[in-house]
Structures are given as C-alpha cells and as structure tokens.
Amino acid sequence: MSSLKTQLLRRKPISLEPEHPHGEELSRTLTTFQLTMFGVGATVGTGIFFVLSHAIPKAGPAVIISFILAAICAGLSALCYAELSSAIPASGSTYSYTYHALGELAAIVIAGCVLLEYGVSTSAVAVGWSGYFNELLHNLFGFSLPTALSTSFVPGIDGEPTGGIVNLPAIVLVLLCMVLLIRGASESAKVNAAMVLIKLGVLTLFIVIGFSAFNADHFSNFFGQAGGISAAAGTIFFSFIGLDAVATAGEEVKDPQKALPRAIIAALIIVSSFYILVALAGLAAKPAEFFGTEAAGEAGLAKILQDVTGTPVWSTILAAGAVISIFSVTLVCLYGQTRILFSIARDGFVPKRFLDVNPRTMTPVYNTVVVGLIVAVIAGFVPSDYLWDTVSIGTLMAFSFVAVSVIVLRRRHPDLERSFKVPLYPVVPILSIAACVYIVSGLAAITWAIFGSWILLVVAYYWFYGRRRATLNHSPSEQELAASALASRETK
C-alpha cells in the first residue's frame, strides 16, 4: 500500500473514469430537457415554498438582495459545473471532480459535504411538504392531521415543546420517492418533468396575484436589516442544490458532453428568475414582519393568496400544486444522493453492495433503499429549523471546490477535451470562490459546529475503513499511466 501522504494526496486518473466493470454501469436514457427539469425540479420549490419564512426575518425587504447574491454565486458556480461536467461526465458530480483534481483526502471531505447536502435537503423539503399537505387537507376536507402525527417530538431552535411525536407525511413522501426511483431513472424523469410544469404554473399564479396587491410601504426601510443579507443568502443558497443534481446524472444522460452544460445553465436561468419574482410578489403582498410569524412558517404562500383574494380557492390551488410539485424536489434530491453514493462505492470507500444494479430497471436498488430509509427517519424526527443552514454550508463548500477544481484541471490537464469552457477564466472561478466564502461567513456558529462534527466523523470513517479499501490501492497512478502512454507512443 502507498505511503500515507501519497495516498491522501493521490488523484484519480481521469482516464479511469469511463472504465467500469460490467454490472457497475447505469443506462443512458435521459434527454437534455429531462435533465433541465431535474435541475429545476430539485431547486424551485425548496427556496420559494419554504425558505422565505426563514430568510426574510433575517434581512427584511433586503432579502431581494440576498436572492440576487445567491443567484450570482450560483451562476458563477454553474459555469464551473458546466465545464467540468462536459469534461468528466461522472455520476459523482462534485465528489468525482474533486477526486480527479485535488486528491483523495479532499474528495472524502467533499463526499461528506454532498452526502450531508443531499440527505439533509431531502429531509428538509419533506418536512416542509408536510405543512402544505395539511393545508390542502384542511381546505378540501375541513380537517388536518393531528400535531402528534405531523410534527416531530424534537423541540425547534426556540426550545418550545412541539406536542408532536412523528412527522408521518414526511416519512411517507420519502418512501414514495424511493419506490419511484427503484422503478428507473427514465420513469422518474418523466414524472419529475410533469411535476415541474405544474410547479411553475402555480408559482406564476402566485406572482400575478401577489403583484395585484402591491404595497410600496412593504419596501420602506429597505436596508433596515442589511446586516442580515449574507445570513439570509446563506439560508437561501441551500435551494440551489439542483444545479449539482444535474451533474449527478452524468452517466445516465445521452450525449453528456453537450447535454450537461446546457441543462445546468438553462436550469439556473429558470430558477433564478422565479426565485426573485416570487420573493418580490410575496413582499409586495405582505410586510416583512408577516414572514416571521407561525402562519408564514407553514404553507406561507398559500396563506398569502387566501389573505389577498379573500377566498380559499386560489390558496387551495397553490397548496395542491405545492403538494404535487414539491414531490419532485424530494425525488431529485434523493436521486442525487444515491448516484453520488454509487460513485463513492465504485471508488471503494463504502461497501460494494451499493454498486448492485438491477438488470431489469438498471437502478442501484440496495443503495436507494438504504438512503431512502435513513432520509425518512431524519424527515420524521428532525425539525426543519436544524436542517436549512446545514444544507447551505455543504452546498457552498461543494461549489467552492468545483471552482478550485476548474483552475487545477486547467493547469494539470490543459489538453482535456472540454465542449464548454468557463468564460473570462480565471476571473469567474475566483469570483465563485469569493462569493461562496462571503455567504458562508454569515452562517451561524451552531451550523459550523454541526458541519465540523460531521466532517470529522467522515474523515474518521475514511481513516479506519475507507482508505484501506480504496480502489486506487490496486490501480495504476497518474504517473504510471502517463509513462505507459508515453512508452506506447514511442513504440509506434
């Protein structure tokens, strides 16, 4: 086995990425449109249906600046993702890029980030979905699930008892998504695309009705809470996870070198436009103080429509659209989690059982079931208060490492085929890193503590288990492959 320092710093040769044993391959069935809908599906919904009530109390009306800042940061990162995905279309996304560019230890840290990012985000969205589900039940049938069955027993960050036992709707949602993913990626993509179109439709409805109640006074003292802009942007940034989710489909999309960058950039444009318009419409209809109330925390957008129109009809339509379409967020985030774990297993850091692909559906069934059950438990028993910022820090770290990887691979592999290249290189990657650092600096100390503890746990796992079973322990190094290629050319 190689020396410890060499092992921690060794990079996975890019030439090994397409070479996978039979049975460790996924089927290429996704189109560019379906992939774009994956990105929109994993993004629009998380930031709009739920996060307004978490972000506006931090920044007030200036949350619009927070959304723009998060969108700019995500846009810079999207360009970096587009370049890397066109050069290395692997299912591991950020994890795989980091392994190729920065080495094994950095890849393990990022593996921890993205597993946290996807696992917790899926749980957080499922918890928020439960609120809209209850709102829909109340509007349609006049009853809601009791608190005991729709709220975790764990107190929120305010320390107040919840009166609940388990968030049953959240658990059921995750398990339904798990079953759908087991049936196949193509089937999941078709369902997701339909749900995304419903989602964009109900959000357009909200924008139109929200602006019809425009009140300029709601934007007075616009910068009164300007000190919370970066903190709010950090909370919002979690919802841009969909851009990374697109890249996790690198081994299941047709013509990945062209489809991946196109889907990433198209998803970013759609997502950013809807985020900013919905935030503006929400503040146009309601003062910033409303978003800090309990009413805004559960199905807030539906309640705004009901207050503006004076009838529950439109709020019921929005709640129904949210219940249907937020399913797609959970679906795609769960999908991304399983595909990244698939790549990690391929590199030997988790048991090979996670690589088992069903020959009929061409999906990693065992992998999907394990992930689904763990995420369902988190969704059922952990309040969303603890989840939002934890996902943001994982996403921001992943986006930062992607930008660094672009710079490193440009220097180490200048001749690597790239169908898309980051414009204004190296300004864009550097700005991407700076924007991520600025946003992450505004996150709370408790978020850093949770994140640091998780990364230490991941590194400890790698130290005692993963590094001894790494696939590269039995594979040629970059130097050996380069020497072999040189010798081959000289003999010709």
Side-chain angles (χ1 to χ4, degrees):
M1 185 179 291
S2 56
S3 69
L4 178 59
K5 181 180 178 181
T6 302
Q7 183 175 25
L8 296 179
L9 299 178
R10 67 185 175 185
R11 297 172 174 86
K12 182 179 179 180
I14 294 175
S15 59
L16 293 181
E17 195 60 59
E19 300 176 4
H20 306 307
H22 180 70
E24 294 183 9
E25 298 175 342
L26 301 170
S27 178
R28 294 194 181 278
T29 57
L30 303 179
T31 65
T32 302
F33 173 75
Q34 289 175 327
L35 202 57
T36 302
M37 293 298 98
F38 257 46
V40 178
T43 308
V44 173
T46 49
I48 291 303
F49 285 109
F50 313 132
V51 176
L52 284 182
S53 61
H54 293 265
I56 292 179
K58 296 178 180 179
V63 76
I64 303 301
I65 306 298
S66 301
F67 271 100
I68 294 172
L69 177 62
I72 291 173
C73 183
L76 295 170
S77 298
L79 295 174
C80 296
Y81 267 103
E83 174 169 324
L84 291 179
S85 63
S86 71
I88 312 171
S91 63
S93 184
T94 311
Y95 158 76
S96 294
Y97 307 150
T98 304
Y99 204 172
H100 290 302
L102 305 177
E104 192 160 296
L105 180 61
I108 291 300
V109 171
I110 284 301
C113 289
V114 293
L115 289 176
L116 178 74
E117 173 187 336
Y118 280 98
V120 177
S121 67
T122 308
S123 303
V125 173
V127 172
W129 177 87
S130 178
Y132 277 95
F133 180 72
N134 250 349
E135 176 75 8
L136 182 62
L137 286 179
H138 181 268
N139 287 351
L140 290 179
F141 306 110
F143 75 91
S144 301
L145 290 175
T147 301
L149 296 179
S150 59
T151 306
S152 165
F153 70 90
V154 179
I157 56 177
D158 58 5
E160 294 294 324
T162 65
I165 298 175
V166 61
N167 194 328
L168 188 60
I171 292 176
V172 172
L173 174 64
V174 173
L175 295 180
L176 286 174
C177 290
M178 179 189 76
V179 171
L180 184 57
L181 287 175
I182 289 172
R183 289 180 59 84
S186 179
E187 289 77 3
S188 301
K190 292 173 184 176
V191 172
N192 173 71
M195 291 180 176
V196 168
L197 295 177
I198 293 172
K199 179 188 308 186
L200 297 182
V202 296
L203 288 178
T204 300
L205 170 71
F206 177 84
I207 292 167
V208 172
I209 295 178
F211 276 116
S212 72
F214 189 91
N215 187 335
D217 291 342
H218 296 168
F219 295 92
S220 62
N221 193 25
F222 188 83
F223 289 104
Q225 295 175 254
I229 288 177
S230 69
T235 299
I236 293 164
F237 201 81
F238 135 78
S239 55
F240 282 95
I241 189 175
L243 303 178
D244 184 89
V246 172
T248 64
E251 293 182 40
E252 293 170 274
V253 65
K254 302 172 184 176
D255 193 11
Q257 281 77 12
K258 293 181 179 179
L260 283 166
R262 289 173 181 171
I264 289 170
I265 294 171
L268 172 73
I269 293 171
I270 296 170
V271 165
S272 299
S273 300
F274 270 88
Y275 275 8
I276 294 169
L277 286 173
V278 171
L280 281 168
L283 283 167
K286 286 288 187 180
E289 293 75 19
F290 165 79
F291 294 92
T293 65
E294 184 178 347
E298 184 174 329
L301 299 192
K303 287 181 170 58
I304 291 175
L305 288 189
Q306 183 165 340
D307 290 348
V308 169
T309 62
T311 172
V313 173
W314 299 112
S315 65
T316 301
I317 292 173
L318 187 137
V323 167
I324 295 171
S325 61
I326 294 172
F327 187 104
S328 71
V329 183
T330 312
L331 178 70
V332 179
C333 288
L334 197 64
Y335 168 88
Q337 173 85 306
T338 61
R339 273 31 179 195
I340 289 174
L341 195 57
F342 185 86
S343 285
I344 295 171
R346 181 182 280 157
D347 291 328
F349 298 123
V350 296
K352 292 290 186 181
R353 184 75 187 277
F354 286 89
L355 282 175
D356 290 349
V357 175
N358 184 290
R360 184 176 61 84
T361 63
M362 296 302 292
T363 56
V365 175
Y366 177 81
N367 180 337
T368 305
V369 170
V370 171
V371 170
L373 293 178
I374 292 174
V375 169
V377 170
I378 297 174
F381 296 100
V382 181
S384 61
D385 295 355
Y386 297 103
L387 300 175
W388 299 114
D389 287 354
T390 307
V391 179
S392 287
I393 195 170
T395 307
L396 286 161
M397 288 296 178
F399 280 22
S400 300
F401 273 66
V402 165
V404 173
S405 295
V406 167
I407 296 172
V408 171
L409 289 176
R410 282 282 189 105
R411 293 177 63 87
R412 291 182 60 86
H413 297 280
D415 298 327
L416 182 65
E417 184 179 351
R418 300 168 174 88
S419 60
F420 177 89
K421 288 188 175 182
V422 170
L424 301 176
Y425 175 85
V427 175
V428 168
I430 292 173
L431 287 177
S432 178
I433 296 167
C436 288
V437 170
Y438 171 73
I439 294 177
V440 82
S441 66
L443 295 176
I446 183 63
T447 303
W448 279 99
I450 294 172
F451 176 73
S453 300
W454 168 249
I455 294 300
L456 285 175
L457 183 63
V458 169
V459 172
Y461 168 84
Y462 165 74
W463 183 266
F464 292 107
Y465 179 90
R467 71 186 182 92
R468 304 177 190 279
R469 293 166 173 78
T471 302
L472 285 192
N473 290 343
H474 313 289
S475 300
S477 65
E478 280 189 307
Q479 293 77 11
E480 291 170 335
L481 286 170
S484 175
L486 179 62
S488 176
R489 285 195 297 267
E490 290 175 348
T491 58
K492 290 181 178 180

